[in-house]
Amino acid sequence: MHVENSNSQNVNLSITSCQRGTSQGSFRIYLEDGSSFFISIDFFLEHKLCKGFEVDSHLLSLLKSESYFIEAYSKGISLLTRQLYTKFNLKRKLLTKDLNLEGVERALNFLEEQNYLNDQKYATNWVLSRLA
């Protein structure tokens, strides 16, 4: 999990650093308490985040949620590059990796929207592989 040392009791924390993440379109945000979050570029731009920006408890909650989503999405894409999964099986696989349930469900829905995760495509491939 990428969320480290974050404590929702700390109401106002400053961003100490913003770095491009290892995956394209992601950023890693570091807060003064030592916590860090992977977020999408869209989230970064939408909230106009930069070094010195004050993070209140509401934004901290959003950062956690976004980081959980990014982590689940990245692991989901990685698994789907190796083989097709049903939504049920991919969810089960991701949850064995101790990922946040909300982040996993959001990632699964996004993967479906992008048509990377498609139960119909899985079923069609399964049937065709049995006929061959």
Side-chain angles (χ1 to χ4, degrees):
M1 183 161 76
H2 296 292
V3 180
E4 303 159 358
N5 300 328
S6 60
N7 184 348
S8 60
Q9 302 295 338
N10 296 336
V11 176
N12 288 317
L13 297 169
S14 292
I15 295 175
T16 57
S17 178
C18 303
Q19 299 174 346
R20 283 198 176 266
T22 53
S23 62
Q24 186 177 10
S26 71
F27 278 86
R28 189 167 189 175
I29 301 295
Y30 296 88
L31 301 181
E32 65 184 317
D33 69 348
S35 58
S36 65
F37 305 90
F38 278 109
I39 59 173
S40 68
I41 191 168
D42 293 335
F43 186 93
F44 181 82
L45 294 172
E46 176 185 343
H47 295 280
K48 300 178 176 94
L49 301 176
C50 61
K51 184 176 178 179
F53 191 88
E54 291 290 319
V55 176
D56 62 14
S57 58
H58 175 68
L59 183 54
L60 182 62
S61 176
L62 293 176
L63 282 167
K64 287 179 184 179
S65 179
E66 178 72 4
S67 193
Y68 293 142
F69 162 69
I70 293 296
E71 185 174 23
Y73 177 78
S74 295
K75 289 193 188 308
I77 285 289
S78 179
L79 290 167
L80 287 167
T81 60
R82 295 183 197 109
Q83 73 179 56
L84 291 177
Y85 284 87
T86 62
K87 186 175 186 178
F88 175 83
N89 286 335
L90 185 58
K91 180 178 181 178
R92 187 175 59 180
K93 182 82 168 176
L94 290 172
L95 290 176
T96 65
K97 299 186 179 301
D98 294 326
L99 297 173
N100 173 276
L101 177 61
E102 177 189 331
V104 167
E105 289 177 346
R106 189 172 155 211
L108 292 171
N109 290 334
F110 191 65
L111 289 166
E112 277 186 319
E113 289 171 15
Q114 294 180 312
N115 205 31
Y116 293 137
L117 181 61
N118 184 317
D119 284 356
Q120 181 65 42
K121 186 177 3 177
Y122 177 90
T124 301
N125 278 0
W126 186 86
V127 168
L128 291 174
S129 72
R130 298 306 184 261
L131 293 175

